[in-house]
Amino acid sequence: MEENPKTAHVVMNIKKKSIYTSRDLSDRGFEESAPGSFPFRRGPYKTMYTKRPWTIRQYAGFSTADETNAFYHKALKAGQRGLSVAFDLATHRGYDSDHPRVAGDVGKAGVAIDTVEDMKLLFDGIPLDKVSVSMTMNGAVLPVMACYIIAAEEQGVKPDQLTGTIQNDILKEFMVRNTYIYPPEPSMRIVSDIMAFAHDKMPRFNSISVSGYHMQEAGATPLQELAFTIADGLAYLEAARAAGIHVDDVAPRVSFFFAIGIDFLTEVAKLRAARELWAMLVKERFSPDNEKSLMLRMHCQTSGWSLTAQDPLNNVVRTTIEALAGVFGGTQSLHTNSYNEALSLPTDAAARIARNTQLILQNETGLCQTIDPLAGSYAIESMTTDMVSGAMDMIREVDKMGGMVRAIEQGMPQRRIQQSAASRQAAIDSGDEVIVGMNAYRSDDAPERDVFDVDNKKVLEQQISKLDHIRSRRDPGTVKRALAAVMEEARGDHPAGSLLERMVDAARARATVGEMSAVLEQVWGRHRAGQSTVTSAYRKSYKKRAEFMELVDEVEAFARREGRRPRMLVVKLGQDGHDRGARIVASAFADIGFDVDLGPLFLTPAEAARQAVENDVHVVGVSTLAGAHKTLIPALIEELKKEGAGDIAVVAGGVIPEKDGEWLKKKGVLEIFGPGTGIPAAARSVLQCISVGGKGNTDR
């Protein structure tokens, strides 16, 4: 069947037909199954939502622990049933708030947690034996988990009473999200260590949540997200087996985390296929005795990438459609994004609408009265089967490479996801993919946008003050001995020991997250990944369109006039590892004809300025998503001046509220490219910047 050219890119690899019939099922050997029975296509439980609806679990965390705690109390009072913690980037990367590399990141994209005292404040007044807690933490998972256990202990709650999930999914960090700390091999040791500890002492707590969400947010197609996520899950079971843990002791507590994009039918099929794939592959490879080892349970979150800064109220509709897909797909818990998250952290009003979206679905629509209501649909069942088949092909390819760890080391999933991201962005910029209110059907009205801002300097001062207070009151000798025990464990001096157990002792002594992380870094080092880009996605998408080729000609004219091509350094500053935008910009500008350098992740402003000078660039393009732009970008401009390179132009793109954009321009940023800016338009603007006042006019 012929695809609609305006939507073909959305499913990518799984082609939708314009009509499905009963033959699509009979020809594929479709066999009907029941909810709660192998292979669990229709859901992991027999009764699903008819007895208990999905858990409303809003992801939240910002500024300080006390501010986030106040938000949690309001959310629980408003009907939320579980808490989901977003940590700031300093915490993710294992730095204390007073570390010089994280000055712009503290409290900006999540809550700052430096010690047990922060964790206690985060859950003050919240009974941890009754409220389920999900924590999105991977890099600094050991010290954060230790702080949580001690915070509960000092609340009178034992580890075996705790319920919830720790993400503990390091493989996807090496693929897309980049909040890793240590190299892959010791990082996998951490994963299995936590699984073993949880099995022994936290039987009600999920020790790992295998996440595909960040893959789709980084540009993966739904099929890629499905295949690579299941492959990651299998790799973790293999790691557990290698550590001597039986599959039935870990698999029943493994959960999964998927993104829900805007392609409704594809996302429903993906979730149903995930359960079937997991059941079949775990049965085949691990031969469990407990049927619960075959049951894939999942949390889902609506897409953040699909949210637009233009006409942001349209995002309420997008989020509702995505939430419906999660429900029809049979998720066990759900987070709905707030409509203004393309602009800033959610405001209270936006967060309330997001939460109420789920409450309306649960209480007003009748959706909880029928299990898997789309079952038997010719389209849904056929697409589910196609998803299973397509993902199986990708998983076999990973197997041939030696498994997911080897595939990641060779860069295969990273390259595939980058190519998909670049191709999709090119389709949006060229108009082949319609985004209502952004590249089509735009409104001339520009309503006032309410944004939430965190005072980074205030949070930083508060966290440093708390750290100073705790360090002055604790017993230095006890801390030193506890950290030495962590180091011994990391070195392997006690083969049967537990890293998390030693971390719990250190947290009890009031060692900080940064101190505990630094001990492991001394033993294992800090991982540094290489940067690469894909090519030709933009040229293929535009296919000799006049406006694109005119831009290419302008770049060629610049090169003839100046004796070299316009040169751009694309950077991320601070600890923000979400590099989809930076990679796409680098790839697209290179396709247009720029010489492009893609800087390594986690640069300080001084390091970025030094690289700009060494590479003799005309312009530095800063990609920013985590809210640290008001601190880090002015610092970059000052560092360029110190290097005697004040003539290097600075432009910025990403999640930058309009008022912040105007402020940044006063500080010396030449152009601001907000969400939804077409890359060809941005490239022309950058070319004009460096032709009019930057190095394009200097004789070098």
Side-chain angles (χ1 to χ4, degrees):
M1 293 288 181
E2 189 174 281
E3 294 180 342
N4 181 343
K6 294 289 186 183
T7 58
H9 59 278
V10 176
V11 291
M12 294 171 85
N13 308 122
I14 294 293
K15 294 182 179 180
K16 283 182 184 172
K17 297 172 64 174
S18 59
I19 186 169
Y20 291 86
T21 69
S22 59
R23 287 193 60 181
D24 290 291
L25 302 188
S26 60
D27 289 351
R28 303 292 295 277
F30 170 73
E31 294 183 8
E32 187 175 352
S33 61
S37 64
F38 184 87
F40 306 104
R41 177 181 282 208
R42 298 194 63 189
Y45 307 119
K46 291 181 179 179
T47 56
M48 290 301 287
Y49 306 146
T50 61
K51 294 295 184 183
R52 179 185 175 187
W54 66 91
T55 300
I56 299 173
R57 190 187 292 280
Q58 293 299 94
Y59 183 53
F62 52 87
S63 188
T64 58
D66 53 345
E67 288 191 59
T68 304
N69 174 263
F71 178 89
Y72 285 160
H73 278 282
K74 287 191 290 185
L76 290 170
K77 186 177 180 181
Q80 189 170 312
R81 297 188 182 91
L83 300 179
S84 189
V85 186
F87 297 93
D88 74 354
L89 291 168
T91 306
H92 271 291
R93 296 269 293 148
Y95 293 114
D96 286 332
S97 294
D98 58 357
H99 196 286
R101 297 195 72 89
V102 301
D105 295 302
V106 176
K108 290 299 289 188
V111 61
I113 299 293
D114 290 317
T115 68
V116 167
E117 297 305 320
D118 286 327
M119 193 71 81
K120 287 171 65 177
L121 190 54
L122 183 67
F123 296 116
D124 184 44
I126 296 171
L128 292 177
D129 56 340
K130 295 181 175 63
V131 176
S132 171
V133 174
S134 172
M135 293 181 284
T136 301
M137 176 54 62
N138 302 283
V141 61
L142 283 169
V144 166
M145 191 73 174
C147 288
Y148 170 67
I149 290 168
I150 295 301
E153 177 185 288
E154 296 184 7
Q155 200 184 84
V157 179
K158 298 177 180 178
D160 62 5
Q161 295 175 283
L162 294 170
T163 61
T165 303
I166 187 76
Q167 194 166 95
N168 193 28
D169 173 12
I170 200 63
L171 290 179
K172 70 96 173 44
E173 298 297 331
F174 293 116
M175 267 194 275
V176 290
R177 191 163 174 258
N178 300 311
T179 55
Y180 45 70
I181 301 176
Y182 316 109
E185 188 173 335
S187 295
M188 287 296 285
R189 177 186 167 189
I190 291 173
V191 171
S192 57
D193 184 277
I194 291 173
M195 288 192 289
F197 183 97
H199 170 257
D200 292 340
K201 300 188 177 182
M202 303 174 70
R204 301 173 63 200
F205 200 88
N206 298 327
S207 58
I208 189 166
S209 174
V210 189
S211 175
Y213 182 87
H214 305 92
M215 297 181 202
Q216 188 172 142
E217 290 291 282
T221 67
L223 180 59
Q224 289 170 338
E225 178 197 6
L226 171 62
F228 294 147
T229 304
I230 295 297
D232 279 354
L234 295 171
Y236 294 130
L237 292 190
E238 289 287 0
R241 179 157 60 185
I245 308 171
H246 191 271
V247 63
D248 289 331
D249 291 335
V250 63
R253 303 310 305 178
V254 173
S255 66
F256 286 77
F257 175 24
F258 289 104
I260 305 296
I262 196 65
D263 190 338
F264 180 81
L265 296 180
T266 300
E267 295 294 348
V268 173
K270 180 189 74 182
L271 300 186
R272 301 172 87 246
R275 288 190 292 268
E276 186 165 320
L277 269 170
W278 183 250
M280 292 190 303
L281 289 169
V282 172
K283 184 177 183 179
E284 172 190 309
R285 301 185 183 194
F286 297 92
S287 303
D289 298 318
N290 184 353
E291 188 180 51
K292 289 183 178 179
S293 295
L294 307 176
M295 295 165 55
L296 184 150
R297 295 160 301 106
M298 68 180 72
H299 169 70
C300 290
Q301 180 173 338
T302 60
S303 172
W305 185 84
S306 70
L307 304 178
T308 64
Q310 298 79 15
D311 275 358
L313 286 175
N314 288 342
N315 296 329
V316 177
V317 180
R318 293 185 176 100
T319 295
T320 302
I321 292 168
E322 292 164 356
L324 275 170
V327 172
F328 279 121
T331 188
Q332 277 59 70
S333 64
L334 180 64
H335 167 96
T336 34
N337 286 328
S338 300
Y339 71 84
N340 59 355
E341 289 188 58
L343 300 165
S344 72
L345 288 168
T347 58
D348 286 345
R352 184 177 65 253
I353 291 171
R355 186 167 50 249
N356 286 350
T357 299
Q358 294 196 54
L359 291 171
I360 291 167
L361 292 179
Q362 285 190 356
N363 293 283
E364 297 185 28
T365 64
L367 283 173
C368 295
Q369 296 170 7
T370 303
I371 301 168
D372 193 19
L374 295 185
S377 156
Y378 301 145
I380 286 295
E381 298 295 3
S382 296
M383 292 176 66
T384 301
T385 299
D386 287 343
M387 278 281 183
V388 170
S389 176
M392 193 70 82
D393 288 343
M394 286 191 188
I395 292 169
R396 291 193 185 103
E397 185 180 358
V398 168
D399 291 340
K400 289 179 181 178
M401 300 180 74
M404 204 58 187
V405 176
R406 300 286 87 80
I408 290 170
E409 288 175 346
Q410 295 174 50
M412 184 272 275
Q414 297 96 307
R415 287 192 300 273
R416 299 279 177 85
I417 292 171
Q418 289 167 28
Q419 184 66 56
S420 296
S423 296
R424 187 170 186 189
Q425 189 62 50
I428 292 171
D429 286 349
S430 66
D432 284 344
E433 177 176 355
V434 170
I435 306 294
V436 174
M438 190 181 83
N439 67 356
Y441 311 108
R442 293 193 65 154
S443 172
D444 293 331
D445 298 328
E448 184 176 342
R449 296 165 176 174
D450 189 17
V451 298
F452 182 89
D453 190 27
V454 172
D455 186 341
N456 167 246
K457 291 183 179 179
K458 180 180 178 182
V459 177
L460 184 60
E461 290 171 359
Q462 291 178 358
Q463 289 301 118
I464 290 174
S465 176
K466 287 194 289 183
L467 277 166
D468 290 342
H469 178 72
I470 289 166
R471 286 170 179 152
S472 68
R473 292 172 60 88
R474 67 189 185 180
D475 177 31
T478 303
V479 174
K480 184 177 181 179
R481 287 189 295 273
L483 291 175
V486 171
M487 180 174 284
E488 288 179 8
E489 201 69 61
R491 286 173 173 163
D493 294 346
H494 306 287
S498 166
L499 275 168
L500 181 52
E501 200 163 328
R502 299 287 78 76
M503 283 283 185
V504 168
D505 294 339
R508 187 180 290 112
R510 285 343 187 233
T512 69
V513 168
E515 290 167 342
M516 289 186 273
S517 299
V519 167
L520 298 182
E521 186 179 344
Q522 289 178 49
V523 179
W524 296 332
R526 185 172 280 265
H527 181 68
R528 285 171 174 78
Q531 291 285 73
S532 62
T533 59
V534 297
T535 58
S536 301
Y538 267 73
R539 286 186 180 263
K540 287 178 182 177
S541 182
Y542 277 85
K543 294 178 181 176
K544 303 289 184 181
R545 294 190 186 189
E547 68 273 19
F548 183 79
M549 298 314 298
E550 287 173 6
L551 177 57
V552 171
D553 290 341
E554 290 176 31
V555 172
E556 293 294 338
F558 179 98
R560 289 191 298 271
R561 184 175 67 250
E562 303 296 334
R564 64 177 182 135
R565 294 181 177 277
R567 191 173 189 91
M568 182 178 192
L569 172 64
V570 178
V571 296
K572 302 281 297 183
L573 298 177
Q575 300 304 306
D576 177 15
H578 291 83
D579 60 349
R580 173 180 183 160
R583 289 180 182 275
I584 287 174
V585 167
S587 297
F589 272 62
D591 276 0
I592 290 165
F594 280 67
D595 283 335
V596 181
D597 301 305
L598 180 59
L601 290 171
F602 314 124
L603 290 175
T604 64
E607 289 166 343
R610 198 170 307 120
Q611 184 169 353
V613 171
E614 290 172 354
N615 292 10
D616 195 21
V617 302
H618 296 99
V619 58
V620 179
V622 181
S623 173
T624 177
L625 292 175
H629 46 268
K630 290 177 70 175
T631 300
L632 297 176
I633 297 178
L636 169 64
I637 293 171
E638 290 304 311
E639 292 293 340
L640 286 170
K641 291 176 181 177
K642 289 179 185 177
E643 294 278 352
D647 58 338
I648 294 179
V650 175
V651 299
V655 181
I656 303 175
E658 290 180 12
K659 61 183 180 67
D660 289 359
E662 294 305 314
W663 184 88
L664 287 171
K665 285 185 176 182
K666 292 177 181 177
K667 294 292 183 178
V669 177
L670 293 185
E671 288 289 348
I672 302 292
F673 305 112
T677 303
I679 286 180
R684 176 167 278 114
S685 181
V686 169
L687 192 62
Q688 291 171 350
C689 285
I690 61 180
S691 296
V692 170
K695 287 191 173 183
N697 277 348
T698 60
D699 184 14
R700 299 176 63 83

